[in-house]
Amino acid sequence: GRQRILWLLVGHLLVSQVSRLLVEEYKPWCLMVYGMAACWLLLGIKGFAVILLHATISFAVAQFQLSLLTWLCSLILLSTLHIPAVEEAKRKWYDTENEYYLLLFSVSVRCLFCTSFSLEYCWHGPAQKSFHSFLWMLAYVFYYPTFHNGPLMNFDEFSKQMRRKETFSLKTNLSIFIVGIVRIFFWWCLAELMIHLMYIHALYSSALPLEAASYWALGGLALAQVLFFYVKYLVLYGVPALLLQMDGLKPPALPCCVSLMHSFTKMWRSFDVGLHRFLVRYIYVPMGGSQSSLLGTLFSTALTFAFVSYWHGGQSYLWYWGALNWLGVIVENGVKRILSLSLIQDLI
C-alpha cells in the first residue's frame, strides 16, 4: 500500500474520470488497458502472463458451453497454485515474499472472476454473446480496483453497470470521494493502532502467551482478532468500493460489524457480500439450494463450503473451519424450520 498500489489506484481514478468525461463509450476499454499496464508494472511480465494465460484458458473452455467443464477447468487452474514446483518457480521471479504473495492473491481472486465470466457465457444465448466477448472478459478480469483482493463482483452485474450511461457530475463525484477518503483514513488509522498497541499480529503468531492465558483471556483475544479482521476489511474493501462508486458502479456492501452478528447465516451473507453472491449464484442455486429436498439442501450447502475451504488454500485447518461453519448454518436453518411449524408457533 505504501509503495506502488496506492499510486496505481490514483492513476486508475484519473483515467476513469477523464474517460467518463470525454469518451464515455470507450470507458471499459480505457480501464482495461490501464489495468493490464498496472498488472504488468506491479507483477512483472511473468506475473501478467500467468493471469492472461488463466483468462485465455478459461475463455477457451467456456466455448464448449458446459458448466461442469468450466468448473473442472477452474478447479484445475486453482490447484496449480499449490503445486510445490510451480510455487518455487514463481518465488524466483521476485525479490521478496510480499511480491510473491501479491501474485498469489491476485491469481486466486482472478480465478473467481474467470469462473464468473465463463459460467455467464455458458448460460447466455447467442443474442447476448456480443457482451461476452474475450475483450469484455479482459475488461472484467483486469479491472484494477478489484484486481488484488476484491471485492468480488459477478460478471453480469459488472457488464450491465459498465454499459449503463449516466450523467457525469464532477461535483457529486468529488463529494463522494472526500467523504469516502475521510472514512477510509479513520479505519486505516484504527487498524494501525490495533496492530501497534494491541499487538494483534504478534499475539496471533506467539504460542507461549496463548498457552499461558486463561480461557476468559483467550475468548477476549479471539474477539479482538475478529474485530481487527473486520476493521482490516473495511480498508481492503473500502478503497476499491470507493473507486467503483467513482466509476459509476454499485459496489457490494461493506462488511457488517461482527459485534452485531449472532448468526452463522448472517455472517456469511453480510461479511463478504460479493463472495456470498458468487457462491449462491454459481454453486448453491445450480445444485438445488433450498428448493430441493433436505438431503439436496445439505449437499448443496456442503459443496459451497467445500469450495470456500479449497479456494482459501485447502489446508486441514480450513477444512475444519468450513465444516464447522456448514454445521452452524445447518443447525440454524434446522431450528428455524422447526420453529416455523404451526404446532410450535401455537405453543410460542
Side-chain angles (χ1 to χ4, degrees):
R2 285 194 298 270
Q3 294 171 15
R4 292 182 183 175
I5 293 178
L6 276 180
W7 291 112
L8 289 172
L9 289 170
V10 170
H12 170 92
L13 180 63
L14 293 173
V15 170
S16 167
Q17 298 310 294
V18 170
S19 60
R20 284 188 77 186
L21 194 61
L22 303 177
V23 284
E24 176 74 25
E25 59 190 273
Y26 297 110
K27 183 181 74 171
W29 319 125
C30 294
L31 297 181
M32 177 193 77
V33 171
Y34 180 84
M36 294 174 86
C39 172
W40 191 320
L41 181 68
L42 203 62
L43 300 177
I45 180 65
K46 292 177 180 176
F48 171 78
V50 166
I51 292 169
L52 188 61
L53 181 65
H54 275 229
T56 307
I57 292 169
S58 296
F59 185 77
V61 172
Q63 302 308 301
F64 292 99
Q65 294 190 286
L66 296 170
S67 299
L68 189 61
L69 194 61
T70 292
W71 268 115
L72 188 63
C73 170
S74 298
L75 292 173
I76 290 170
L77 288 175
L78 267 177
S79 69
T80 60
L81 300 179
H82 308 296
I83 298 171
V86 176
E87 283 185 279
E88 283 305 308
K90 286 177 183 174
R91 281 178 200 273
K92 290 175 184 175
W93 298 347
Y94 302 106
D95 298 326
T96 63
E97 279 287 282
N98 281 347
E99 290 174 295
Y100 165 70
Y101 279 117
L102 186 63
L103 173 68
L104 193 64
F105 264 73
S106 303
V107 173
S108 60
V109 175
R110 292 309 92 201
C111 276
L112 295 184
F113 279 68
C114 290
T115 304
S116 175
F117 176 90
S118 300
L119 288 171
E120 295 293 344
Y121 186 94
C122 293
W123 295 348
H124 285 82
Q128 295 165 303
K129 284 290 182 278
S130 60
F131 299 117
H132 293 77
S133 64
F134 187 59
L135 265 181
W136 267 107
M137 185 182 198
L138 293 180
Y140 176 57
V141 169
F142 286 98
Y143 181 67
Y144 195 68
T146 61
F147 189 81
H148 297 296
N149 195 56
L152 186 57
M153 196 174 183
N154 294 339
F155 178 73
D156 61 323
E157 297 172 14
F158 176 83
S159 62
K160 282 175 190 171
Q161 293 180 34
M162 191 61 85
R163 284 184 277 118
R164 186 179 60 209
K165 290 186 178 179
E166 291 182 332
T167 52
F168 178 75
S169 169
L170 192 61
K171 187 179 177 181
T172 305
N173 264 20
L174 192 61
S175 63
I176 291 170
F177 183 72
I178 291 168
V179 172
I181 284 291
V182 169
R183 293 174 74 195
I184 290 164
F185 181 73
F186 171 74
W187 297 330
W188 199 322
C189 289
L190 185 58
E192 292 289 345
L193 284 170
M194 291 176 82
I195 292 168
H196 292 292
L197 300 181
M198 295 175 67
Y199 307 106
I200 290 290
H201 286 165
L203 281 167
Y204 180 75
S205 56
S206 307
L208 285 175
L210 296 177
E211 287 170 359
S214 68
Y215 288 125
W216 280 105
L218 284 174
L221 290 171
L223 179 58
Q225 289 289 339
V226 176
L227 287 168
F228 172 73
F229 192 74
Y230 160 65
V231 173
K232 179 177 76 169
Y233 265 81
L234 286 178
V235 178
L236 290 178
Y237 281 178
V239 173
L242 176 60
L243 291 175
L244 281 161
Q245 282 183 286
M246 298 294 288
D247 290 348
L249 308 180
K250 186 182 178 183
L254 291 178
C256 284
C257 179
V258 290
S259 293
L260 302 176
M261 294 183 197
H262 58 273
S263 156
F264 280 95
T265 310
K266 188 183 177 185
M267 182 73 176
W268 278 98
R269 282 179 181 165
S270 56
F271 190 84
D272 192 335
V273 175
L275 181 61
H276 173 257
R277 287 176 184 167
F278 176 93
L279 296 170
V280 169
R281 181 168 177 80
Y282 301 121
I283 303 176
Y284 185 70
V285 171
M287 293 310 298
S290 57
Q291 302 303 312
S292 60
S293 63
L294 179 61
L295 279 175
T297 304
L298 290 172
F299 176 71
S300 52
T301 312
L303 206 60
T304 303
F305 280 109
F307 175 75
V308 170
S309 301
Y310 182 70
W311 178 71
H312 275 86
Q315 290 90 346
S316 57
Y317 71 89
L318 288 167
W319 291 110
Y320 296 137
W321 168 71
L324 288 169
N325 275 280
W326 172 75
L327 191 62
V329 168
I330 291 301
V331 169
E332 281 179 5
N333 285 304
V335 171
K336 197 182 290 183
R337 285 190 181 190
I338 291 167
L339 292 176
S340 66
L341 296 172
S342 55
L343 178 65
I344 304 296
Q345 285 290 314
D346 292 341
L347 286 171
I348 291 171

